Amino acid sequence: MPLSITPHDALLVVDMQNDFMPGGALGVTGGDEIVPLVNQLLELFQIRVFSRDWHPANHSSFSDNPTFTDNSWPAHCVQDTAGAQFHQDLKTDLADKIVSKATTVEQEAYSAFQNTDLENWLQQKGIQRVFIVGLATDYCVKFSALDAQEIGFDTYVIRNATRGVDNPPGNEIQQVQTMENAGIHIIYSKNIFE
Ligand code: VGL
Ligand code: ZN
């Protein structure tokens, strides 16, 4: 039985920004490959939210010697720079809402719900299920999904419409397991389109 999308469902597109694309400051392998699928999914939903990582130039997570494994990163997604722009092929005209996160120096926010009005906004729209796609599976997708589930939305991650940092290798699959253990549904686009 395919999942059918209803007016009580929202699609959350996480951080599909240039710096997370291959060649970007914090490039995620295959990040650009999922753009066409995300665009296809966007057409199915009536409520569509885009999150973006939106850091000040001196954000506390930035390091000249980033390890990637201790939450230190190369400078990325600095407000109003090209790297912070959404991928040019992404259908951003379909966005009902754009959520900016980690917008102050000291604040790190991997979740689109952290210090944003997203929870209230979705509740006001009568949303019951949240479907999540985008980058990166093991960071912002994971933390957004855990928060969505914790808030009480029935939460789905569309696995083949995400890509992970996966550093060290194996971390991504472990974080997918963490989501599953929290009761989040890990699904594939074929479960919707079939
Ligand atoms: C992210 C690392 C640092 C993400 C954001 O969007 O997954 N990862 N900032
Ligand atoms: Zn960031």
Side-chain angles (χ1 to χ4, degrees):
M1 272 286 282
L3 276 161
S4 50
I5 302 306
T6 82
H8 299 291
D9 297 332
L11 184 67
L12 171 59
V13 177
V14 174
D15 298 7
M16 291 289 288
Q17 296 162 273
N18 291 328
D19 273 343
F20 294 124
M21 299 297 159
L26 183 36
V28 175
T29 306
D32 52 341
E33 291 168 9
I34 62 174
V35 172
L37 177 56
V38 171
N39 282 339
Q40 225 183 319
L41 288 162
L42 279 164
E43 305 281 356
L44 283 184
F45 285 80
Q46 289 174 36
I47 302 291
R48 305 118 165 172
V49 179
F50 289 65
S51 71
R52 62 182 183 182
D53 219 24
W54 197 246
H55 298 311
N58 56 344
H59 189 252
S60 52
S61 76
F62 295 172
S63 166
D64 293 333
N65 302 294
T67 70
F68 292 66
T69 54
D70 69 351
N71 300 300
S72 67
W73 308 102
H76 62 278
C77 297
V78 172
Q79 294 164 15
D80 299 309
T81 63
Q85 299 293 305
F86 291 115
H87 188 287
Q88 62 171 8
D89 297 336
L90 195 66
K91 291 193 175 158
T92 50
D93 51 310
L94 295 177
D96 297 297
K97 181 176 180 61
I98 293 175
V99 175
S100 302
K101 60 185 174 58
T103 58
T104 61
V105 175
E106 292 306 328
Q107 183 212 340
E108 180 59 293
Y110 293 128
S111 163
F113 292 93
Q114 196 177 332
N115 288 308
T116 72
D117 65 349
L118 184 55
E119 173 179 351
N120 281 339
W121 190 88
L122 291 171
Q123 265 152 6
Q124 261 157 32
K125 298 277 180 200
I127 294 302
Q128 293 161 359
R129 300 193 299 182
V130 175
F131 291 74
I132 306 181
V133 298
L135 306 171
T137 320
D138 34 6
Y139 287 93
C140 291
V141 168
K142 178 189 88 165
F143 285 103
S144 298
L146 289 173
D147 275 355
Q149 181 78 0
E150 171 84 19
I151 288 163
F153 297 113
D154 198 11
T155 304
Y156 295 73
V157 169
I158 308 173
R159 180 84 167 91
N160 59 314
T162 70
R163 291 291 186 276
V165 174
D166 202 30
N167 185 347
N171 183 55
E172 180 181 357
I173 191 77
Q174 212 174 309
Q175 302 312 324
V176 171
Q177 193 62 54
T178 299
M179 290 192 270
E180 217 159 20
N181 293 346
I184 294 160
H185 308 275
I186 306 296
I187 64 165
Y188 294 83
S189 56
K190 66 173 189 215
N191 302 133
I192 297 175
F193 290 122
E194 75 190 354

